[in-house]
Amino acid sequence: MLIVLGSQIVRRQILFGTLQSSKMFMVSAGMRGEVKLTDAISALEKFAPKQLSESWDNTGLLVEPYTPRNISKILLTNDLTEEVALEAKKKNCELIISYHPPIFAPLKSVVQSSWKEKIVSLLLENRIALYSPHTSWDSVQGGVNDWLASGFAVKSSSPIIPNEDQKNGAGRLITIEPIMLQEAIEKVKKLTGLAHVRLALGRGKGMTDKIEKVALCAGSGASVLKKVSDADLFLTGEMLHHDVLDAAQRGISVILTNHSDSERGFLSIFSETLQKQLNVDVLVSECDKDPLCTV
């Protein structure tokens, strides 16, 4: 069975394949229901097991209210700001799935002295649970990096740093139907919905040069992309100046979208699948946005 993402065809058995195979959370068609928090987490971890996360990451259930509530409405966000937390409260959501973990460094208190502590306090007060998948979604086949690749006509794809199973892992190295660099830029803009991206031309390269091999990594991808030596193009959210300079001097062009703009579009795709699996309302935040914009 095939689904279409823009101009790119992606096999459904790869994109969310593990979720599609589970029927344990389905209820009567046409009726929105509710599930236990543990069932919602089980569905999330069937798609992207926690063990796919990087060792430095802080993924999984981060906030669990003392008095449990069944889940009938979920809010997806890339970043959990105070505005997004208030949006979840206003929309009567019992669970927030925040791609980036807002709790990363240990909290020494839960008071009103910092915005992250305010969020935890707000969630507990309103009995809203918080789950963060982060690098498990990056690694898993059919996750964020495969979404980022789906703007191109992909001929082959493999993780740049594969896990033991070889099908999951950090980043993606893809071969695509040959296109000019200018076309590649337009495809990235279309996928992400951005009017502008940042470009570094590879040494000796121009806008009409052919792109056939793309190394990509959602978010801040320099540490992963530097493992690749033979790509025509690097695609990621952000890179340090010297990492961009190094790639360009090696003849590799670089497209930067801003960090979360290389990730956020995955949420709309995932929300539809999760809603069908759990048969609850799954919303995508209207407040969530990258803190940077080009002016």
mmCIF file of all heavy atoms in Angstrom, residues 69-108:
data_model
loop_
_atom_site.group_PDB
_atom_site.id
_atom_site.type_symbol
_atom_site.label_atom_id
_atom_site.label_comp_id
_atom_site.label_asym_id
_atom_site.label_seq_id
_atom_site.Cartn_x
_atom_site.Cartn_y
_atom_site.Cartn_z
ATOM 1 N N ARG A 69 -5.340 10.063 34.595
ATOM 2 C CA ARG A 69 -6.540 10.309 33.777
ATOM 3 C C ARG A 69 -6.415 9.488 32.501
ATOM 4 O O ARG A 69 -5.318 9.292 31.988
ATOM 5 C CB ARG A 69 -6.644 11.787 33.390
ATOM 6 C CG ARG A 69 -7.016 12.723 34.506
ATOM 7 C CD ARG A 69 -7.558 14.032 33.930
ATOM 8 N NE ARG A 69 -6.526 14.809 33.256
ATOM 9 C CZ ARG A 69 -6.799 15.920 32.536
ATOM 10 N NH1 ARG A 69 -8.050 16.331 32.388
ATOM 11 N NH2 ARG A 69 -5.829 16.596 31.965
ATOM 12 N N ASN A 70 -7.541 9.023 31.993
ATOM 13 C CA ASN A 70 -7.530 8.408 30.675
ATOM 14 C C ASN A 70 -7.249 9.482 29.626
ATOM 15 O O ASN A 70 -7.532 10.664 29.823
ATOM 16 C CB ASN A 70 -8.855 7.707 30.386
ATOM 17 C CG ASN A 70 -8.972 6.395 31.131
ATOM 18 O OD1 ASN A 70 -7.995 5.837 31.611
ATOM 19 N ND2 ASN A 70 -10.194 5.885 31.239
ATOM 20 N N ILE A 71 -6.723 9.048 28.498
ATOM 21 C CA ILE A 71 -6.309 9.965 27.441
ATOM 22 C C ILE A 71 -7.368 9.971 26.334
ATOM 23 O O ILE A 71 -7.641 8.938 25.719
ATOM 24 C CB ILE A 71 -4.949 9.550 26.849
ATOM 25 C CG1 ILE A 71 -3.905 9.374 27.951
ATOM 26 C CG2 ILE A 71 -4.491 10.558 25.800
ATOM 27 C CD1 ILE A 71 -3.623 10.586 28.764
ATOM 28 N N SER A 72 -7.953 11.138 26.097
ATOM 29 C CA SER A 72 -8.900 11.286 24.993
ATOM 30 C C SER A 72 -8.430 12.323 23.976
ATOM 31 O O SER A 72 -8.942 12.388 22.868
ATOM 32 C CB SER A 72 -10.284 11.692 25.508
ATOM 33 O OG SER A 72 -10.229 12.958 26.149
ATOM 34 N N LYS A 73 -7.421 13.140 24.368
ATOM 35 C CA LYS A 73 -6.928 14.192 23.475
ATOM 36 C C LYS A 73 -5.431 14.386 23.723
ATOM 37 O O LYS A 73 -4.986 14.561 24.858
ATOM 38 C CB LYS A 73 -7.688 15.494 23.711
ATOM 39 C CG LYS A 73 -7.465 16.549 22.640
ATOM 40 C CD LYS A 73 -8.335 17.776 22.880
ATOM 41 C CE LYS A 73 -9.808 17.486 22.638
ATOM 42 N NZ LYS A 73 -10.626 18.722 22.722
ATOM 43 N N ILE A 74 -4.671 14.348 22.642
ATOM 44 C CA ILE A 74 -3.210 14.459 22.700
ATOM 45 C C ILE A 74 -2.769 15.666 21.884
ATOM 46 O O ILE A 74 -3.296 15.910 20.793
ATOM 47 C CB ILE A 74 -2.543 13.189 22.138
ATOM 48 C CG1 ILE A 74 -2.927 11.963 22.977
ATOM 49 C CG2 ILE A 74 -1.017 13.337 22.081
ATOM 50 C CD1 ILE A 74 -2.484 10.638 22.359
ATOM 51 N N LEU A 75 -1.795 16.407 22.399
ATOM 52 C CA LEU A 75 -1.225 17.535 21.665
ATOM 53 C C LEU A 75 0.216 17.202 21.290
ATOM 54 O O LEU A 75 1.027 16.861 22.154
ATOM 55 C CB LEU A 75 -1.260 18.811 22.509
ATOM 56 C CG LEU A 75 -0.770 20.077 21.794
ATOM 57 C CD1 LEU A 75 -1.775 20.492 20.704
ATOM 58 C CD2 LEU A 75 -0.554 21.224 22.777
ATOM 59 N N LEU A 76 0.528 17.298 19.999
ATOM 60 C CA LEU A 76 1.886 17.104 19.517
ATOM 61 C C LEU A 76 2.566 18.456 19.335
ATOM 62 O O LEU A 76 1.959 19.391 18.801
ATOM 63 C CB LEU A 76 1.895 16.376 18.163
ATOM 64 C CG LEU A 76 1.259 14.995 18.074
ATOM 65 C CD1 LEU A 76 1.466 14.440 16.668
ATOM 66 C CD2 LEU A 76 1.843 14.053 19.100
ATOM 67 N N THR A 77 3.816 18.552 19.766
ATOM 68 C CA THR A 77 4.585 19.780 19.576
ATOM 69 C C THR A 77 6.042 19.434 19.362
ATOM 70 O O THR A 77 6.519 18.381 19.811
ATOM 71 C CB THR A 77 4.429 20.726 20.791
ATOM 72 O OG1 THR A 77 5.090 21.964 20.518
ATOM 73 C CG2 THR A 77 5.016 20.115 22.064
ATOM 74 N N ASN A 78 6.749 20.299 18.674
ATOM 75 C CA ASN A 78 8.183 20.092 18.507
ATOM 76 C C ASN A 78 8.931 20.562 19.755
ATOM 77 O O ASN A 78 9.830 19.895 20.239
ATOM 78 C CB ASN A 78 8.682 20.845 17.276
ATOM 79 C CG ASN A 78 9.933 20.240 16.693
ATOM 80 O OD1 ASN A 78 9.866 19.291 15.914
ATOM 81 N ND2 ASN A 78 11.093 20.771 17.064
ATOM 82 N N ASP A 79 8.526 21.724 20.284
ATOM 83 C CA ASP A 79 9.117 22.273 21.503
ATOM 84 C C ASP A 79 8.000 22.623 22.472
ATOM 85 O O ASP A 79 6.981 23.197 22.068
ATOM 86 C CB ASP A 79 9.930 23.530 21.196
ATOM 87 C CG ASP A 79 11.166 23.221 20.366
ATOM 88 O OD1 ASP A 79 12.043 22.518 20.890
ATOM 89 O OD2 ASP A 79 11.244 23.675 19.210
ATOM 90 N N LEU A 80 8.194 22.326 23.739
ATOM 91 C CA LEU A 80 7.182 22.630 24.749
ATOM 92 C C LEU A 80 7.534 23.941 25.438
ATOM 93 O O LEU A 80 8.362 23.984 26.344
ATOM 94 C CB LEU A 80 7.070 21.500 25.770
ATOM 95 C CG LEU A 80 6.004 21.697 26.849
ATOM 96 C CD1 LEU A 80 4.632 21.961 26.243
ATOM 97 C CD2 LEU A 80 5.960 20.504 27.785
ATOM 98 N N THR A 81 6.916 25.012 24.966
ATOM 99 C CA THR A 81 7.035 26.319 25.601
ATOM 100 C C THR A 81 5.844 26.520 26.537
ATOM 101 O O THR A 81 4.900 25.711 26.551
ATOM 102 C CB THR A 81 7.040 27.435 24.550
ATOM 103 O OG1 THR A 81 5.798 27.373 23.810
ATOM 104 C CG2 THR A 81 8.213 27.270 23.590
ATOM 105 N N GLU A 82 5.871 27.612 27.291
ATOM 106 C CA GLU A 82 4.740 27.902 28.174
ATOM 107 C C GLU A 82 3.471 28.128 27.363
ATOM 108 O O GLU A 82 2.378 27.725 27.765
ATOM 109 C CB GLU A 82 5.056 29.132 29.035
ATOM 110 C CG GLU A 82 4.042 29.368 30.147
ATOM 111 C CD GLU A 82 4.467 30.468 31.109
ATOM 112 O OE1 GLU A 82 5.652 30.874 31.082
ATOM 113 O OE2 GLU A 82 3.610 30.916 31.899
ATOM 114 N N GLU A 83 3.617 28.765 26.181
ATOM 115 C CA GLU A 83 2.450 28.996 25.325
ATOM 116 C C GLU A 83 1.822 27.681 24.865
ATOM 117 O O GLU A 83 0.596 27.548 24.818
ATOM 118 C CB GLU A 83 2.855 29.832 24.094
ATOM 119 C CG GLU A 83 3.212 31.273 24.377
ATOM 120 C CD GLU A 83 4.639 31.448 24.893
ATOM 121 O OE1 GLU A 83 5.393 30.447 24.919
ATOM 122 O OE2 GLU A 83 4.984 32.581 25.265
ATOM 123 N N VAL A 84 2.645 26.712 24.532
ATOM 124 C CA VAL A 84 2.134 25.407 24.096
ATOM 125 C C VAL A 84 1.463 24.684 25.264
ATOM 126 O O VAL A 84 0.404 24.051 25.099
ATOM 127 C CB VAL A 84 3.258 24.551 23.493
ATOM 128 C CG1 VAL A 84 2.763 23.140 23.189
ATOM 129 C CG2 VAL A 84 3.799 25.194 22.222
ATOM 130 N N ALA A 85 2.057 24.763 26.452
ATOM 131 C CA ALA A 85 1.451 24.132 27.631
ATOM 132 C C ALA A 85 0.080 24.725 27.923
ATOM 133 O O ALA A 85 -0.873 24.000 28.242
ATOM 134 C CB ALA A 85 2.368 24.291 28.833
ATOM 135 N N LEU A 86 -0.038 26.044 27.801
ATOM 136 C CA LEU A 86 -1.332 26.701 28.018
ATOM 137 C C LEU A 86 -2.329 26.315 26.918
ATOM 138 O O LEU A 86 -3.524 26.200 27.176
ATOM 139 C CB LEU A 86 -1.151 28.218 28.067
ATOM 140 C CG LEU A 86 -0.443 28.747 29.322
ATOM 141 C CD1 LEU A 86 -0.074 30.231 29.149
ATOM 142 C CD2 LEU A 86 -1.331 28.562 30.560
ATOM 143 N N GLU A 87 -1.823 26.114 25.705
ATOM 144 C CA GLU A 87 -2.677 25.638 24.610
ATOM 145 C C GLU A 87 -3.236 24.257 24.936
ATOM 146 O O GLU A 87 -4.425 23.987 24.716
ATOM 147 C CB GLU A 87 -1.870 25.593 23.313
ATOM 148 C CG GLU A 87 -2.642 25.086 22.109
ATOM 149 C CD GLU A 87 -1.759 24.931 20.868
ATOM 150 O OE1 GLU A 87 -0.525 25.111 20.982
ATOM 151 O OE2 GLU A 87 -2.299 24.606 19.802
ATOM 152 N N ALA A 88 -2.406 23.376 25.467
ATOM 153 C CA ALA A 88 -2.862 22.032 25.850
ATOM 154 C C ALA A 88 -3.930 22.115 26.928
ATOM 155 O O ALA A 88 -4.927 21.382 26.897
ATOM 156 C CB ALA A 88 -1.676 21.197 26.339
ATOM 157 N N LYS A 89 -3.727 22.996 27.894
ATOM 158 C CA LYS A 89 -4.731 23.188 28.946
ATOM 159 C C LYS A 89 -6.046 23.688 28.358
ATOM 160 O O LYS A 89 -7.121 23.167 28.679
ATOM 161 C CB LYS A 89 -4.208 24.180 29.978
ATOM 162 C CG LYS A 89 -5.216 24.541 31.059
ATOM 163 C CD LYS A 89 -4.683 25.640 31.975
ATOM 164 C CE LYS A 89 -5.745 26.077 32.982
ATOM 165 N NZ LYS A 89 -5.248 27.189 33.845
ATOM 166 N N LYS A 90 -5.971 24.685 27.480
ATOM 167 C CA LYS A 90 -7.170 25.264 26.877
ATOM 168 C C LYS A 90 -7.941 24.236 26.048
ATOM 169 O O LYS A 90 -9.183 24.233 26.026
ATOM 170 C CB LYS A 90 -6.779 26.458 26.000
ATOM 171 C CG LYS A 90 -7.952 27.166 25.340
ATOM 172 C CD LYS A 90 -7.476 28.346 24.509
ATOM 173 C CE LYS A 90 -8.642 29.053 23.834
ATOM 174 N NZ LYS A 90 -8.180 30.205 22.998
ATOM 175 N N LYS A 91 -7.222 23.344 25.390
ATOM 176 C CA LYS A 91 -7.852 22.358 24.520
ATOM 177 C C LYS A 91 -8.178 21.054 25.254
ATOM 178 O O LYS A 91 -8.582 20.079 24.636
ATOM 179 C CB LYS A 91 -6.942 22.077 23.320
ATOM 180 C CG LYS A 91 -6.811 23.282 22.385
ATOM 181 C CD LYS A 91 -5.874 23.004 21.215
ATOM 182 C CE LYS A 91 -5.843 24.195 20.268
ATOM 183 N NZ LYS A 91 -4.892 24.000 19.156
ATOM 184 N N ASN A 92 -8.005 21.059 26.563
ATOM 185 C CA ASN A 92 -8.359 19.905 27.414
ATOM 186 C C ASN A 92 -7.614 18.628 27.024
ATOM 187 O O ASN A 92 -8.189 17.541 26.992
ATOM 188 C CB ASN A 92 -9.874 19.666 27.381
ATOM 189 C CG ASN A 92 -10.654 20.851 27.908
ATOM 190 O OD1 ASN A 92 -10.328 21.401 28.956
ATOM 191 N ND2 ASN A 92 -11.681 21.264 27.178
ATOM 192 N N CYS A 93 -6.329 18.774 26.744
ATOM 193 C CA CYS A 93 -5.496 17.618 26.424
ATOM 194 C C CYS A 93 -4.984 16.972 27.710
ATOM 195 O O CYS A 93 -4.606 17.673 28.650
ATOM 196 C CB CYS A 93 -4.317 18.035 25.550
ATOM 197 S SG CYS A 93 -4.806 18.706 23.944
ATOM 198 N N GLU A 94 -4.959 15.673 27.725
ATOM 199 C CA GLU A 94 -4.438 14.945 28.889
ATOM 200 C C GLU A 94 -2.983 14.517 28.702
ATOM 201 O O GLU A 94 -2.335 14.092 29.652
ATOM 202 C CB GLU A 94 -5.281 13.695 29.170
ATOM 203 C CG GLU A 94 -6.742 13.962 29.484
ATOM 204 C CD GLU A 94 -7.617 13.941 28.231
ATOM 205 O OE1 GLU A 94 -7.071 13.721 27.122
ATOM 206 O OE2 GLU A 94 -8.847 14.122 28.360
ATOM 207 N N LEU A 95 -2.481 14.617 27.470
ATOM 208 C CA LEU A 95 -1.122 14.184 27.173
ATOM 209 C C LEU A 95 -0.511 15.123 26.142
ATOM 210 O O LEU A 95 -1.146 15.457 25.140
ATOM 211 C CB LEU A 95 -1.121 12.751 26.627
ATOM 212 C CG LEU A 95 0.204 12.204 26.084
ATOM 213 C CD1 LEU A 95 1.269 12.139 27.180
ATOM 214 C CD2 LEU A 95 -0.003 10.815 25.448
ATOM 215 N N ILE A 96 0.723 15.533 26.408
ATOM 216 C CA ILE A 96 1.526 16.270 25.431
ATOM 217 C C ILE A 96 2.667 15.368 24.995
ATOM 218 O O ILE A 96 3.356 14.767 25.829
ATOM 219 C CB ILE A 96 2.103 17.571 26.026
ATOM 220 C CG1 ILE A 96 0.990 18.544 26.415
ATOM 221 C CG2 ILE A 96 3.056 18.239 25.030
ATOM 222 C CD1 ILE A 96 1.492 19.783 27.166
ATOM 223 N N ILE A 97 2.851 15.262 23.684
ATOM 224 C CA ILE A 97 4.039 14.605 23.146
ATOM 225 C C ILE A 97 4.931 15.703 22.592
ATOM 226 O O ILE A 97 4.601 16.336 21.578
ATOM 227 C CB ILE A 97 3.687 13.585 22.050
ATOM 228 C CG1 ILE A 97 2.770 12.501 22.602
ATOM 229 C CG2 ILE A 97 4.949 12.962 21.464
ATOM 230 C CD1 ILE A 97 2.209 11.562 21.543
ATOM 231 N N SER A 98 6.025 15.967 23.263
ATOM 232 C CA SER A 98 6.977 16.999 22.854
ATOM 233 C C SER A 98 8.207 16.314 22.273
ATOM 234 O O SER A 98 8.940 15.633 22.994
ATOM 235 C CB SER A 98 7.370 17.878 24.048
ATOM 236 O OG SER A 98 8.348 18.824 23.667
ATOM 237 N N TYR A 99 8.420 16.516 20.992
ATOM 238 C CA TYR A 99 9.562 15.878 20.324
ATOM 239 C C TYR A 99 10.865 16.168 21.071
ATOM 240 O O TYR A 99 11.609 15.250 21.424
ATOM 241 C CB TYR A 99 9.624 16.376 18.885
ATOM 242 C CG TYR A 99 10.883 16.031 18.146
ATOM 243 C CD1 TYR A 99 11.126 14.733 17.706
ATOM 244 C CD2 TYR A 99 11.841 17.013 17.883
ATOM 245 C CE1 TYR A 99 12.288 14.415 17.026
ATOM 246 C CE2 TYR A 99 13.008 16.704 17.205
ATOM 247 C CZ TYR A 99 13.231 15.406 16.779
ATOM 248 O OH TYR A 99 14.392 15.102 16.113
ATOM 249 N N HIS A 100 11.162 17.433 21.330
ATOM 250 C CA HIS A 100 12.324 17.773 22.147
ATOM 251 C C HIS A 100 11.966 17.649 23.626
ATOM 252 O O HIS A 100 10.918 18.145 24.047
ATOM 253 C CB HIS A 100 12.788 19.207 21.884
ATOM 254 C CG HIS A 100 13.475 19.391 20.577
ATOM 255 N ND1 HIS A 100 13.217 20.457 19.742
ATOM 256 C CD2 HIS A 100 14.422 18.645 19.944
ATOM 257 C CE1 HIS A 100 13.966 20.367 18.666
ATOM 258 N NE2 HIS A 100 14.704 19.276 18.763
ATOM 259 N N PRO A 101 12.811 17.016 24.434
ATOM 260 C CA PRO A 101 12.522 16.930 25.869
ATOM 261 C C PRO A 101 12.761 18.274 26.565
ATOM 262 O O PRO A 101 13.899 18.771 26.565
ATOM 263 C CB PRO A 101 13.517 15.870 26.362
ATOM 264 C CG PRO A 101 14.611 15.857 25.345
ATOM 265 C CD PRO A 101 14.021 16.261 24.044
ATOM 266 N N PRO A 102 11.731 18.878 27.134
ATOM 267 C CA PRO A 102 11.934 20.154 27.836
ATOM 268 C C PRO A 102 12.693 19.979 29.149
ATOM 269 O O PRO A 102 13.280 20.930 29.654
ATOM 270 C CB PRO A 102 10.510 20.661 28.080
ATOM 271 C CG PRO A 102 9.665 19.437 28.071
ATOM 272 C CD PRO A 102 10.313 18.488 27.117
ATOM 273 N N ILE A 103 12.661 18.780 29.706
ATOM 274 C CA ILE A 103 13.456 18.481 30.904
ATOM 275 C C ILE A 103 14.683 17.716 30.431
ATOM 276 O O ILE A 103 14.595 16.560 30.005
ATOM 277 C CB ILE A 103 12.659 17.644 31.916
ATOM 278 C CG1 ILE A 103 11.373 18.360 32.318
ATOM 279 C CG2 ILE A 103 13.505 17.368 33.148
ATOM 280 C CD1 ILE A 103 10.452 17.522 33.188
ATOM 281 N N PHE A 104 15.838 18.371 30.507
ATOM 282 C CA PHE A 104 17.062 17.735 30.052
ATOM 283 C C PHE A 104 18.095 17.721 31.176
ATOM 284 O O PHE A 104 18.482 16.674 31.660
ATOM 285 C CB PHE A 104 17.601 18.467 28.818
ATOM 286 C CG PHE A 104 18.441 17.601 27.946
ATOM 287 C CD1 PHE A 104 17.860 16.775 27.003
ATOM 288 C CD2 PHE A 104 19.812 17.587 28.074
ATOM 289 C CE1 PHE A 104 18.632 15.943 26.205
ATOM 290 C CE2 PHE A 104 20.601 16.774 27.283
ATOM 291 C CZ PHE A 104 20.013 15.948 26.340
ATOM 292 N N ALA A 105 18.511 18.895 31.607
ATOM 293 C CA ALA A 105 19.337 18.974 32.814
ATOM 294 C C ALA A 105 18.434 18.756 34.019
ATOM 295 O O ALA A 105 17.257 19.126 34.000
ATOM 296 C CB ALA A 105 20.028 20.327 32.893
ATOM 297 N N PRO A 106 18.952 18.154 35.088
ATOM 298 C CA PRO A 106 18.122 17.898 36.269
ATOM 299 C C PRO A 106 17.539 19.183 36.859
ATOM 300 O O PRO A 106 18.210 20.215 36.906
ATOM 301 C CB PRO A 106 19.101 17.247 37.252
ATOM 302 C CG PRO A 106 20.194 16.694 36.409
ATOM 303 C CD PRO A 106 20.320 17.617 35.242
ATOM 304 N N LEU A 107 16.260 19.127 37.262
ATOM 305 C CA LEU A 107 15.625 20.246 37.962
ATOM 306 C C LEU A 107 15.867 20.088 39.459
ATOM 307 O O LEU A 107 15.657 19.009 40.017
ATOM 308 C CB LEU A 107 14.124 20.266 37.682
ATOM 309 C CG LEU A 107 13.677 20.448 36.226
ATOM 310 C CD1 LEU A 107 12.158 20.369 36.134
ATOM 311 C CD2 LEU A 107 14.178 21.752 35.652
ATOM 312 N N LYS A 108 16.306 21.158 40.107
ATOM 313 C CA LYS A 108 16.535 21.109 41.553
ATOM 314 C C LYS A 108 15.303 21.521 42.343
ATOM 315 O O LYS A 108 15.239 21.337 43.556
ATOM 316 C CB LYS A 108 17.716 22.004 41.922
ATOM 317 C CG LYS A 108 19.043 21.503 41.364
ATOM 318 C CD LYS A 108 20.208 22.335 41.860
ATOM 319 C CE LYS A 108 21.528 21.769 41.359
ATOM 320 N NZ LYS A 108 22.691 22.567 41.845
#
